[in-house]
Amino acid sequence: DLYGFISEAELELFESLISVSGVGPKSALNLMGVAAAGELAAAINAGKIELLIKASGVGRKTAERVILELA
């Protein structure tokens, strides 16, 4: 599959998200759809699970795994 991104920061965030166990391209795109790349990265670093679980198909366990592996 081919994915396009507006900025290098979005591409790097996407690649980081799909490196997490249990997060595929569809889930990563859904996560990126809830907030801007910088805001999403800040939420991951701050451990704000509330923002991550707003994404379609991302539950509490997946959000916790993303925070744990990327923070």
Side-chain angles (χ1 to χ4, degrees), residues 13 35-47 51-52 70-71:
L13 179 60
E39 185 180 346
L40 186 60
I44 291 170
N45 288 332
L51 181 66
L52 301 180
L70 297 182

Side-chain angles (χ1 to χ4, degrees), residues 4-62:
F5 301 97
I6 294 175
S7 67
E8 188 73 27
E10 287 183 352
L11 173 62
E12 291 173 6
L13 179 60
F14 177 78
E15 289 175 341
S16 295
L17 288 170
I18 62 172
S19 72
V20 174
S21 175
V23 177
K26 185 175 178 182
S27 295
L29 290 174
N30 288 341
L31 281 165
M32 293 176 69
V34 296
E39 185 180 346
L40 186 60
I44 291 170
N45 288 332
K48 294 184 179 178
I49 196 168
E50 300 84 23
L51 181 66
L52 301 180
I53 60 176
K54 289 182 182 179
S56 176
V58 177
R60 182 166 290 280
K61 287 185 179 182
T62 302

